[in-house]
Amino acid sequence: MNPTEEPVTSKQGMVICPHSLASEVGAQILRDGGNAVDAAIAIQAALGVVYPHMTGLGGDAFWLIYDAKSQALYGLNGSGRAAQRATIDLYQQQGHQFIPQRGPLAAMTVPGAVASWEQAHRRFGQQDWTTLLQPAIALAELGYPVSGSQSYWTRRDRPHFEQHSPSACPFLAQGEVPAPQSILKNPDLARTLETLSHEGASAFYQGAIAQQIADHLNSVGGLLTLDDFTAHHSDWVKPIETTYQGYRIAQLPPNSQGFAVLQMLNLIEPFDLQGMGHDSADYYHLMIEATKLALVDRGHWLTDPDFVKIPINKLVSKAYADRRRFQLSLTRAGQYAAVPMGSDTTYTAVADAFGNAVSVIQSIYFDFGSAVVVPQTGFVLQNRGCFFSLNPNHLNCLMPGKRTFHTLMPGMVLQPSGHPYLILGTMGGEGQPQTQLALLTRLLDFGFDPQTAIDEPRWLWGRTWGDETVSLTLEGRIPIAVRQALRERGHVLTVGPDWNVKMGHAHVIRYAPDTETMEGGCDRRSDGIAIGL
């Protein structure tokens, strides 16, 4: 648990991510003259070493980047597309009603993270590319103390590794689950990162690494080919926005679920949250009911916009929220279904002394993704593609070259002037828009500082990976009277631990009105730390 009790403050730059070693990497990049994009790339590479159950080279990434020179906000979609051989017929002919959640048939979308690093660096980077990967190489080569989180998930997922990566799993030390704080080395990953540092992303998508992945998957019944990797590219996209409490709230457009939180804010905007009180049943009930309505639209519309025309401007408009708001009851819980979501993701917030800001999320989807490790590469391939439907009439049905519905949603809040005010995000699948809603209302409506906004008890409605039913999970610190009032309104409650890791790892950087001083909060539910220079 992160021991921070007060926000960390700085005028020279700040980094926050869910692992302290990776935060140190990013802070050093800033100290050495790098900018926020440089630090974010170095952090993502380091997280792939020290937090491999949640992220890595085999995953996807989504970016929001505020560039101080142009005084503009940019979005970068670094998610991968389905293999050209990945068809509904192929899976059904093999007897599958759903895409397998583990194994080579789950690893059927191109990992997009590495390409996004390079595209962000080419456009905004300041330090040499090779320099940015050196800290991650050192961590992989010399070893790092295993977190309790990594040890836990390695033990949970050991059967998947034994089935799908029996001779190539770098996360089992001499075939055993590493104990917390034991030193784990990953020489295969160090060599892979070394190749990337010298050859760039081309090695991952056109060169030796791509060929390694394609050859291995072909040998075990997978679908990705070298042509799939060669065809991959990230996309610069225009962020989508709404306004709330006088601020501009920015998210990435589909295939990210970011529009869900914009809808939630539009729905709750006319209500007097301060009059309700932050710890009241009314507050929690309104947040949960707005969540349900927004997630109905998410389920109806969210997929790859290259395949389906999504009326995104309408969905995030105030007029649309006005028409939908009558469906919110302040006295009864609405009954809605939800699908299970993976939750293993890493969120990073970076601000530098030059005025640049980065909000980036990277993920391999489930814990340790597909559990497929290509021999001699040192990283696991994501299973993001298992979220595709094999029903050809489903909006998010599988099609070759298609990007799936994505839970990743980095956030940023801009002042009316256009300068950043908040950099925020979280891991947590279904919980990402809900946690962002909690943070935004606590920061913008109730005036909490970033650490307090993160520390306050959280809720989670829906189904995350491993849950059998739709329910409302509350952290145990929420008062008994509030729980009872919610039950009386029809909510089906599960009360979790006081600090529940299912609520995600949220991080926030907030700028003071002078736009120079910044303060940050890091989630105690993570292994991370906020570092101010």
Side-chain angles (χ1 to χ4, degrees):
M1 185 180 293
N2 177 30
T4 302
E5 294 183 0
E6 300 292 334
V8 173
T9 60
S10 174
K11 286 192 174 183
Q12 301 302 315
M14 185 170 293
V15 299
I16 314 175
C17 80
H19 196 289
S20 58
L21 290 177
S23 289
E24 291 283 0
V25 165
Q28 191 59 50
I29 293 294
L30 294 183
R31 293 187 191 104
D32 292 342
N35 64 19
V37 169
D38 295 326
I41 293 167
I43 289 169
Q44 301 317 298
L47 283 170
V49 179
V50 300
Y51 238 36
H53 52 303
M54 292 193 174
T55 189
L57 302 181
D60 287 342
F62 284 77
W63 298 67
L64 282 174
I65 300 170
Y66 177 81
D67 175 54
K69 289 181 180 178
S70 60
Q71 296 188 7
L73 183 65
Y74 300 85
L76 181 59
N77 182 332
S79 62
R81 299 163 181 85
Q84 288 299 317
R85 294 170 56 200
T87 65
I88 290 173
D89 285 346
L90 181 143
Y91 282 91
Q92 290 180 340
Q93 287 169 9
Q94 296 190 29
H96 297 291
Q97 293 183 317
F98 304 96
I99 296 174
Q101 294 176 336
R102 307 285 187 170
L105 288 177
M108 43 73 81
T109 59
V110 177
V114 174
S116 78
W117 300 356
E118 188 168 89
Q119 273 190 255
H121 183 259
R122 283 178 177 173
R123 190 165 186 176
F124 298 113
Q126 195 162 287
Q127 280 197 329
D128 181 72
W129 168 263
T130 303
T131 300
L132 303 182
L133 301 189
Q134 292 310 307
I137 292 169
L139 286 167
E141 202 167 56
L142 301 176
Y144 63 93
V146 172
S147 66
S149 174
Q150 181 179 342
S151 180
Y152 170 81
W153 286 110
T154 305
R155 188 173 305 281
R156 282 278 301 265
D157 293 329
R158 181 176 184 171
H160 299 305
F161 285 129
E162 290 173 344
Q163 180 179 359
H164 300 297
S165 303
S167 61
C169 182
F171 314 117
L172 296 169
Q174 289 78 51
E176 299 299 324
V177 175
Q181 298 307 307
S182 63
I183 302 300
L184 186 65
K185 299 179 181 180
N186 192 337
D188 286 342
L189 182 55
R191 285 189 290 270
T192 298
L193 288 165
E194 191 72 54
T195 299
L196 289 176
S197 74
H198 293 299
E199 300 179 27
S202 62
F204 198 93
Y205 296 96
Q206 293 94 36
I209 299 170
Q211 192 67 64
Q212 278 178 282
I213 297 171
D215 287 349
H216 177 71
L217 288 177
N218 182 63
S219 72
V220 294
L223 302 178
L224 286 169
T225 67
L226 182 59
D227 287 343
D228 293 317
F229 278 82
T230 301
H232 176 76
H233 58 89
S234 301
D235 293 311
W236 292 104
V237 295
K238 183 180 179 181
I240 56 175
E241 295 186 11
T242 192
T243 58
Y244 186 77
Q245 299 291 17
Y247 293 93
R248 294 165 51 192
I249 317 297
Q251 292 284 331
L252 287 171
N255 58 320
S256 165
Q257 69 168 334
F259 73 89
V261 76
L262 303 185
Q263 287 191 309
M264 295 173 192
L265 292 169
N266 287 340
L267 286 165
I268 69 170
E269 190 171 36
F271 293 95
D272 179 11
L273 268 60
Q274 289 189 349
M276 289 181 179
H278 176 258
D279 288 325
S280 70
D282 286 343
Y283 169 77
Y284 286 107
H285 176 81
L286 178 61
M287 299 301 106
I288 294 156
E289 295 307 296
T291 293
K292 292 175 182 177
L293 271 185
L295 295 191
V296 167
D297 273 344
R298 185 196 66 178
H300 185 74
W301 285 111
L302 185 53
T303 189
D304 187 338
D306 288 342
F307 286 75
V308 175
K309 185 173 177 58
I310 304 170
I312 192 63
N313 291 333
K314 169 190 170 183
L315 293 172
V316 301
S317 70
K318 302 292 186 183
Y320 182 71
D322 290 342
R323 293 195 297 273
R324 293 273 279 160
R325 194 174 297 110
F326 78 93
Q327 296 174 260
L328 282 174
S329 169
L330 296 182
T331 58
R332 293 300 301 169
Q335 302 302 311
Y336 300 93
V339 294
M341 299 282 180
S343 62
D344 289 291
T345 304
T346 54
Y347 173 72
T348 299
V350 185
D352 64 28
F354 310 110
N356 305 301
V358 172
S359 182
V360 57
I361 296 187
Q362 190 165 302
S363 173
I364 50 176
Y365 199 30
F366 287 178
D367 38 281
F368 284 116
S370 66
V372 174
V373 179
V374 176
Q376 300 179 346
T377 64
F379 63 89
V380 69
L381 295 172
Q382 68 181 353
N383 64 334
R384 181 63 63 172
C386 74
F387 202 74
F388 278 119
S389 172
L390 295 182
N391 176 355
N393 298 316
H394 193 283
L395 180 81
N396 196 49
C397 67
L398 173 63
M399 295 180 71
K402 187 176 183 180
R403 283 167 158 160
T404 186
F405 170 135
H406 236 293
T407 54
L408 303 189
M409 47 175 293
M412 198 174 293
V413 176
L414 305 178
Q415 299 178 18
S417 65
H419 289 92
Y421 177 59
L422 299 172
I423 312 168
L424 78 164
T426 180
M427 58 88 83
E430 189 88 336
Q432 288 190 37
Q434 301 180 61
T435 294
Q436 284 203 29
L437 181 65
L439 296 174
L440 289 165
T441 54
R442 289 165 179 174
L443 290 159
L444 301 180
D445 289 282
F446 296 100
F448 292 166
D449 66 71
Q451 192 61 54
T452 302
I454 293 167
D455 286 349
E456 284 293 308
R458 298 211 288 265
W459 70 89
L460 176 63
W461 179 85
R463 292 176 64 190
T464 54
W465 165 232
D467 289 339
E468 297 298 324
T469 59
V470 177
S471 67
L472 172 62
T473 301
L474 304 179
E475 287 194 308
R477 295 173 292 136
I478 292 177
I480 293 175
V482 171
R483 297 182 222 161
Q484 184 57 35
L486 291 173
R487 288 191 179 98
E488 290 171 357
R489 297 183 197 195
H491 295 281
V492 179
L493 300 186
T494 299
V495 179
D498 283 357
W499 298 86
N500 192 341
V501 294
K502 283 191 174 183
M503 301 297 161
H505 301 159
H507 309 309
V508 178
I509 294 175
R510 179 170 70 180
Y511 289 83
D514 61 12
T515 74
E516 294 180 1
T517 306
M518 56 200 78
E519 55 182 353
C522 180
D523 205 317
R524 301 167 187 269
R525 303 162 185 84
S526 78
D527 296 292
I529 191 170
I531 300 178
L533 274 65

